[in-house]
Each structure stands twice: as C-alpha cells, then as structure tokens.
Amino acid sequence: MLVWLSIEYHDANAESDARAFVDRVRPVLMARYGTVDRAQSAGFSQMTYLGWDGTAVYFNHTFDGVDPMHPNFLWYDRNGRLAGADYELPISQFPMNPPGRDLFPVRRMRWSVVYAHVHVAYFLDGQTVLTQADAQPRFAEIDPVTSDALRGVGLLPANAELQWFSFHPRCWDLSLWLVPNPFGASANFNPYVYF
C-alpha cells in the first residue's frame, strides 16, 4: 500500500515547477490561513473529517476569484495547522484545458479532474455532521436550496438543522502540499503529515 502512496512524479521539470510555485505562495498562505481559526475567520468551513491522508478539507464556498494567492480549498492536519491547498476551477470556464501557465505556472500534468458532487453540513443530535454524495441532476437543480428541498431529495434527515449545502461542479484541480513532502509537492501521501 505505501508503495502506491509514495509514487513520485518522474518529470523533474514538473516537480521543479510545482516546488517553485509552492515556495512562492507558501509564505502568504501560511500567514493568511495558517490555522483552522484563521481559515474560519476568512469564511472557510470544514468540508470533510480527517481523512486517510491525515488532513481535513475546508472550503470557502466559491469557485470565483481563485488565483495563486487565493485557493478555495485548504487542508489542515490533525493539529489544525495548514498542510496543503487545492485550486479548483470549473471546467465550464476552461473547457479544453486547465488554466494556463500565465495564471498557474505549473505543468499541465499537475492538474487533475474532480467530478461533480455535493456536500452538506447539518446539526443533528448535538453534533455537526458532514456528508458528501455523488452529484445527480436533481441536486444541481435545487433552487432555492432549502431544508425542505434537501429533505425531498434525501440529503437531509427529517430532524436535522441545515448548516450549509454546496454543489461542487466538475473542476480542474491543482492539489499541492504546502509543507515539505519527500514524495513531491503533488503526491497523494505525505509522511510528515500522516505520522
């Protein structure tokens, strides 16, 4: 299993570009979003629980205004420290290719695709619950998004209090570790965060 998780990118130029990009944005992002409290003050909400990679994802609920100094997804380690970032831009805005090197100076191979899905946060029995579901056409058409509408499509239990709902369109995704990673800036696994 660790063999798969530790696969390094073999394109030295692509890794060099990614590391240079991280070196450029890290000081600003660490100063702005270095802790969960700072992210929440800036409008980010927790989107996932601590995952297999040792991080929890926070989202600022927008796909607008994303640039190198303004990612829309941040990853925090189990101690609430910033570990990485995602820059996600709807494919509808860049239908043929991900954003160019003029905006994000990394090789195209660093971008992946995140498919459409939904996230819901609700309060139930004294606890906040975070859920995710594959997108279905009926989810994209919920307008306005209300508790009753979400209950009607099975995304919200009857006695839950909705905190927020987010439809996540199909996006280009640039994922980067902001903390050092011996396997590379875009690797799936970072032993310094996991262990």
Side-chain angles (χ1 to χ4, degrees):
M1 175 93 164
L2 278 181
V3 172
W4 175 81
L5 293 173
S6 63
I7 291 174
E8 295 183 52
Y9 287 96
H10 296 290
D11 184 322
N13 291 328
E15 180 59 23
S16 177
D17 287 354
R19 287 185 188 268
F21 179 82
V22 168
D23 288 346
R24 182 167 64 99
V25 302
R26 180 189 296 118
V28 172
L29 299 184
M30 289 296 186
R32 191 178 289 158
Y33 310 116
T35 65
V36 165
D37 289 342
R38 286 187 201 157
Q40 290 174 324
S41 294
F44 284 78
S45 300
Q46 185 173 356
M47 210 168 198
T48 69
Y49 298 108
L50 202 64
W52 68 268
D53 66 350
T55 67
V57 178
Y58 285 68
F59 175 45
N60 68 357
H61 301 276
T62 186
F63 294 92
D64 297 326
V66 178
D67 64 38
M69 299 303 174
H70 299 92
N72 45 354
F73 293 84
L74 301 170
W75 323 332
Y76 289 86
D77 68 16
R78 62 183 40 84
N79 298 308
R81 295 178 301 219
L82 183 60
D86 278 303
Y87 299 87
E88 295 194 18
L89 297 126
I91 288 178
S92 61
Q93 294 175 11
F94 300 91
M96 301 303 293
N97 287 296
R101 290 176 61 87
D102 55 324
L103 182 58
F104 291 93
V106 298
R107 309 258 170 177
R108 189 189 189 291
M109 69 182 291
R110 291 298 177 192
W111 292 89
S112 62
V113 173
V114 174
Y115 291 93
H117 60 279
V118 297
H119 287 270
V120 182
Y122 56 84
F123 196 68
L124 181 66
D125 297 329
Q127 294 186 22
T128 297
V129 178
L130 305 172
T131 64
Q132 178 178 332
D134 291 336
Q136 299 175 21
R138 63 190 175 136
F139 297 163
E141 297 167 3
I142 299 172
D143 185 30
V145 175
T146 64
S147 295
D148 288 340
L150 295 178
R151 285 188 187 96
V153 294
L155 288 174
L156 188 67
N159 55 343
E161 179 185 335
L162 178 65
Q163 291 186 302
W164 54 261
F165 167 84
S166 177
F167 177 78
H168 189 296
R170 193 165 155 247
C171 286
W172 294 110
D173 177 33
L174 176 64
S175 301
L176 297 165
W177 292 100
L178 297 174
V179 295
N181 186 351
F183 299 134
S186 297
N188 292 324
F189 179 72
N190 187 335
Y192 297 149
V193 172
Y194 183 80
F195 294 110

